[in-house]
Amino acid sequence: PAGEALEGEASSFDKEAAGTPVRPEPESEPAAGEAPAPASTEEERAWDVDGYLRSSLRFRSADGEDDGDLFADLLTDVKGNRGKNPWSFRFFGRLHWDFIGDQENDPTAMIRDVWDNYDGAAQVQLYEFFAKVDNLGKQGNSLTLGRQFIDDGIWMQFDGARYDWIIDPSQGLDLSIFGGVPVLLWTEDAWSDGNWSVGLVGHWKPGKQTRLRLEYYHISQYFAGINDGLSDPSEATTEIPATRLNDDFLGLSVWHDFNAATHVYGRFTLLEGDPTERELRAR
C-alpha cells in the first residue's frame, strides 16, 4: 500500500554519511519459532526499559601501518505506562576507542580516517538524547525535547523541540513542527556559530491509494569561507569570504497505487526558489 512505500524515504546511507550509525529499533516481537511471552497478571509496570548494546572491533593493516578501533553503540529507551500524558526518554550514543595506531599526527597515513582528527584516543558521539510526552490534546499529539532527528524527506539532526500534531486521523492528515540548532557531529561550533533551523513536515492521504508529503526547512548557518584563518591567503587562487547562509527548502512528494502491482512515486524540490530535484518512478 502507498503508506508502506519505501521510495523517497531517508536511507541508511544518508545517516552513515552524516556520521550516525543505523539505529535498529529494539525488538518488540518474538523471533520466528519462539513462543510469545505469557500475559502478566500483575499490575502494569510504571516504566518499561528496552534497548541494546552493540560493539564491534576493526583491525586494519596496510603499507606497514596498523590500526585497531573499538565501536560501542548504546541505545536505551525508557517509556512510562501510567498517567494521562506518559513520558518517554531515549539515549543513543557511540563510544569510539582507537587502541592501536597513531595516525592523527600523520596526515599522509594510508589508513587514516575521520576519527584521527581528534587529539585523544577515545571519543563519545551523542546521536539522540531526548524526552517525549505523548497523548496531548484530543488526537494524541506529542512533544519531543532534546537531541533528535527528522528523517522525512531530508534527514537532519538538531537540538531543539518538535511537536507532532495529528489533525485528522481519518484523512492521514498530520503536521510536524520543529526548530533548534542543527547538529554538526564533526565540529564543536554548532552552538557558538549561532546556527539555527525551523521547519515543518505535513502528510495527507486524500484516498486509500494516494499519499502526499510536504516539507519546508529554513536553515541559517555560518560559513567560515575559503582561506579564512590561513597564514597566507594570498597564495590561494580563489577566496570566498566568511558569511552567513540562509536557505529555504521546499519539497513535495507523492505516492500513488494504481493497483496491487503498479505504483508511482514523484518528487519535486526547490532550494532558494531554484528546482533541485525532479524525480519520477514507476514500478
Side-chain angles (χ1 to χ4, degrees):
E4 302 298 328
L6 297 179
E7 293 91 340
E9 306 297 344
S11 68
S12 60
F13 177 80
D14 297 328
K15 302 176 185 180
E16 291 283 4
T20 303
V22 177
R23 181 204 64 193
E25 296 292 342
E27 294 182 5
S28 57
E29 298 294 335
E34 290 186 5
S40 174
T41 59
E42 299 179 0
E43 184 180 359
E44 186 180 33
R45 290 176 297 178
W47 298 93
D48 282 333
V49 181
D50 200 359
Y52 68 83
L53 173 63
R54 179 181 58 194
S55 60
S56 61
L57 291 173
R58 180 182 68 180
F59 296 95
R60 297 182 295 172
S61 181
D63 197 26
E65 301 174 15
D66 296 309
D67 184 61
D69 298 272
L70 168 68
F71 300 93
D73 298 332
L74 175 63
L75 171 67
T76 303
D77 279 319
V78 181
K79 182 178 181 181
N81 295 318
R82 297 178 183 174
K84 179 181 178 182
N85 305 114
W87 285 82
S88 59
F89 306 89
R90 165 168 286 178
F91 173 89
F92 180 39
R94 162 173 285 186
L95 168 66
H96 167 260
W97 178 31
D98 188 0
F99 62 92
I100 297 177
D102 190 25
Q103 283 80 19
E104 66 268 17
N105 296 320
D106 183 6
T108 63
M110 177 70 70
I111 50 179
R112 178 182 170 89
D113 61 20
V114 66
W115 297 99
D116 292 311
N117 288 317
Y118 293 95
D119 294 331
Q123 300 84 33
V124 175
Q125 292 279 20
L126 181 60
Y127 302 122
E128 289 181 286
F129 188 46
F130 62 75
K132 181 180 180 181
V133 57
D134 290 307
N135 201 29
L136 299 173
K138 296 181 179 180
Q139 302 290 1
N141 306 331
S142 63
L143 175 66
T144 307
L145 302 171
R147 176 159 295 189
Q148 54 194 294
F149 63 80
I150 294 289
D151 58 357
D152 256 346
I154 285 183
W155 183 85
M156 181 180 70
Q157 284 178 292
F158 66 97
D159 294 327
R162 170 179 173 174
Y163 188 77
D164 294 311
W165 178 21
I166 302 175
I167 302 173
D168 187 348
S170 65
Q171 293 287 322
L173 186 60
D174 60 67
L175 185 65
S176 296
I177 307 170
F178 52 90
V181 178
V183 173
L184 304 176
L185 291 173
W186 307 113
T187 179
E188 299 176 353
D189 300 329
W191 280 81
S192 61
D193 284 341
N195 299 336
W196 60 276
S197 177
V198 296
L200 58 86
V201 178
H203 302 91
W204 180 38
K205 293 184 68 173
K208 293 183 179 180
Q209 295 156 316
T210 305
R211 178 165 64 105
L212 293 90
R213 179 180 63 205
L214 178 68
E215 314 146 41
Y216 169 75
Y217 294 80
H218 177 87
I219 300 177
S220 177
Q221 182 170 324
Y222 174 75
F223 173 64
I226 305 298
N227 301 328
D228 188 46
L230 294 181
S231 58
D232 188 4
S234 63
E235 294 182 358
T237 56
T238 60
E239 181 175 357
I240 302 177
T243 186
R244 175 158 293 278
L245 303 176
N246 290 282
D247 293 322
D248 288 287
F249 175 88
L250 184 65
L252 176 64
S253 301
V254 180
W255 294 259
H256 183 75
D257 296 334
F258 286 97
N259 51 51
T262 308
H263 315 275
V264 172
Y265 165 73
R267 179 168 172 80
F268 179 75
T269 67
L270 297 170
L271 180 64
E272 287 298 286
D274 295 324
T276 52
E277 293 178 80
R278 303 180 187 89
E279 183 176 1
L280 181 63
R281 300 186 193 180
R283 183 179 72 247

